[in-house]
Amino acid sequence: MAGLSDLYQAKINPKYLHSNSTNHTWPFSAVAELVDNAYDPDVAARELWIDKEMISGKPCLVFTDNGKGMDSATLYKMMSFGYCEKAKYENQGGPKARMPIGQYGNGFKSGSMRLAKDALVFTVRNESQTASVGFLSQTMCADGNMDTLVLPLLEYTLPNYILFLCFKKI
């Protein structure tokens, strides 16, 4: 009897990242998509910062919020296509409760890929003292001549204290 691992699994061609990004006809709708993600009740961010940084001589947009963060399983779903768990947040709270905005599991991918070829996500989940890093990259897939999208993810446990160091080349 064939097991689940013997079945064909759906693949996504890396070129789909670009074609999917054309859902946004201008960059500001892509920025709005990423801002909406921070507003959703499952994130519950109270503040959001958008900065332009020069990294290795290239301009980069950096979106930072003070939301709940994600564990690696949630990050994996967020970076995959079609997963959305926001329905479970509907009808929670009173009339001033935040309603979830997304419902199709596509906004992060279409928004980030409209603004750039690569998106690096750093997230910290304080309750479990874990941090995760995910990489969605058109560049990596093109340079590696890949025929399917690859999502590198890393999760690690944080010590009782967190020290973030940023190094800039002078």
Side-chain angles (χ1 to χ4, degrees), residues 4 23 25 27-28 33-34 44 51 60 66 69-70 74 78 82 86 109 112 124-126 130 132 134 142 147 160:
L4 187 59
N23 291 335
T25 56
F28 292 110
E33 186 74 58
L34 300 174
D51 297 301
C60 297
N66 63 350
M70 296 176 274
T74 305
M78 188 270 298
K86 294 181 182 187
K109 281 75 66 182
S112 61
V124 175
R125 185 83 175 177
N126 288 331
T130 60
S132 299
D147 67 347
N160 289 333

Side-chain angles (χ1 to χ4, degrees), residues 85-122:
E85 298 176 337
K86 294 181 182 187
K88 66 184 176 185
Y89 291 94
E90 291 180 7
N91 302 322
Q92 287 187 1
K96 293 190 178 198
R98 291 182 182 180
M99 294 302 296
I101 295 170
Q103 59 183 337
Y104 300 112
N106 190 47
F108 169 76
K109 281 75 66 182
S110 64
S112 61
M113 294 295 105
R114 172 62 173 93
L115 297 171
K117 298 254 184 232
D118 305 303
L120 188 61
V121 178
F122 294 92

Side-chain angles (χ1 to χ4, degrees), residues 15-165:
K15 293 178 183 177
Y16 181 72
L17 290 176
H18 169 71
S19 63
N20 183 52
S21 74
T22 61
N23 291 335
H24 298 281
T25 56
W26 64 318
F28 292 110
S29 69
V31 169
E33 186 74 58
L34 300 174
V35 169
D36 285 347
N37 284 347
Y39 180 78
D40 275 342
D42 56 334
V43 178
R46 298 205 182 272
E47 295 177 325
L48 171 72
W49 301 269
I50 304 173
D51 297 301
K52 179 185 165 202
E53 299 281 337
M54 295 299 288
I55 300 174
S56 299
K58 295 182 181 182
C60 297
L61 285 176
V62 179
F63 291 74
T64 308
D65 67 51
N66 63 350
K68 295 178 183 177
M70 296 176 274
D71 58 20
S72 62
T74 305
L75 177 61
Y76 177 69
K77 287 179 181 178
M78 188 270 298
M79 295 184 83
S80 298
F81 286 87
Y83 287 96
C84 184
E85 298 176 337
K86 294 181 182 187
K88 66 184 176 185
Y89 291 94
E90 291 180 7
N91 302 322
Q92 287 187 1
K96 293 190 178 198
R98 291 182 182 180
M99 294 302 296
I101 295 170
Q103 59 183 337
Y104 300 112
N106 190 47
F108 169 76
K109 281 75 66 182
S110 64
S112 61
M113 294 295 105
R114 172 62 173 93
L115 297 171
K117 298 254 184 232
D118 305 303
L120 188 61
V121 178
F122 294 92
T123 183
V124 175
R125 185 83 175 177
N126 288 331
E127 296 89 36
S128 60
Q129 295 228 275
T130 60
S132 299
V133 181
F135 190 42
L136 185 63
S137 174
Q138 294 180 60
T139 305
M140 179 186 72
C141 291
D143 291 351
N145 201 22
M146 298 176 182
D147 67 347
T148 191
L149 181 63
V150 176
L151 295 173
L153 294 172
L154 171 69
E155 181 181 62
Y156 50 97
T157 303
L158 298 171
N160 289 333
Y161 57 89
I162 300 173
L163 176 64
F164 288 102
L165 299 174

